[in-house]
Amino acid sequence: MRAYRLLTEEDTAAFCHKVTEALSKGWELYGSPAYAHDPVSGRMRCAQAVVKEIEGSYAPDMKLGIL
């Protein structure tokens, strides 16, 4: 099964660390990153999709962050 996550964070080093951690756990980049202004906070936000092949079947209660 292929698992999908969308990682998001403010435009700080924390975003890069979040993506790097996912890559170190076997996730792979999927598509290009996105960058947008959040009008509520007044800050820029980043997003990056990642995917990972895992064993088993999909279940709605899966904790994708621990895969």
Side-chain angles (χ1 to χ4, degrees), residues 3 11 14 17-18 22 26 28-29 31-32 44 46 48 51 54 56 58 65:
D11 182 23
H17 285 282
K18 186 182 278 192
E28 297 179 15
L29 299 178
S32 299
M44 295 302 288
C46 301
Q48 174 65 59
V51 294
I54 62 168
Y58 172 74

Side-chain angles (χ1 to χ4, degrees), residues 44-67:
M44 295 302 288
R45 293 195 58 87
C46 301
Q48 174 65 59
V50 292
V51 294
K52 184 177 184 180
E53 288 293 331
I54 62 168
E55 293 185 24
S57 299
Y58 172 74
D61 60 345
M62 294 176 77
K63 302 293 185 201
L64 297 174
I66 63 170
L67 295 178

Side-chain angles (χ1 to χ4, degrees), residues 3-49:
Y4 170 92
R5 292 176 64 196
L6 181 64
L7 306 174
T8 63
E9 185 72 49
E10 286 186 10
D11 182 23
T12 65
F15 175 73
C16 295
H17 285 282
K18 186 182 278 192
V19 174
T20 300
E21 179 183 19
L23 295 174
S24 75
K25 293 180 177 181
W27 292 86
E28 297 179 15
L29 299 178
Y30 184 79
S32 299
Y35 192 62
H37 182 259
D38 178 354
V40 175
S41 69
R43 298 184 179 179
M44 295 302 288
R45 293 195 58 87
C46 301
Q48 174 65 59

